[in-house]
Amino acid sequence: MTTNMGLLDRLLRTLAAIGVGILYATGAIGGPTALVLGVVAVAFLLTSFVGTCPLYWPLGLSTRRENRA
């Protein structure tokens, strides 16, 4: 599996997931909204740690900077 996510993309996804966790912990979100955002946050964390977003492949996207040596 090749990585297709750059550092900024991974950082923003991690921060968004942390933000959802904070909203849930403070009680700002609940019910179905919390469930949907929780699933998205988990997906963001997984793709951030792996460095690969499966949705980028069919679209031919990559936010990763290529090494130019």
Side-chain angles (χ1 to χ4, degrees):
M1 236 195 303
T2 59
T3 58
N4 60 4
M5 292 175 59
L7 181 62
L8 181 61
D9 191 2
R10 294 169 78 174
L11 179 66
L12 290 175
R13 286 174 183 245
T14 302
L15 290 175
I18 291 170
V20 169
I22 291 171
L23 288 173
Y24 180 74
T26 60
I29 58 173
T33 303
L35 181 63
V36 170
L37 289 177
V39 169
V40 170
V42 168
F44 275 7
L45 282 177
L46 288 174
T47 56
S48 292
F49 290 134
V50 174
T52 301
C53 179
L55 295 177
Y56 283 2
W57 283 332
L59 301 174
L61 296 175
S62 176
T63 58
R64 185 172 156 255
R65 185 177 296 183
E66 298 295 325
N67 291 336
R68 295 180 185 151

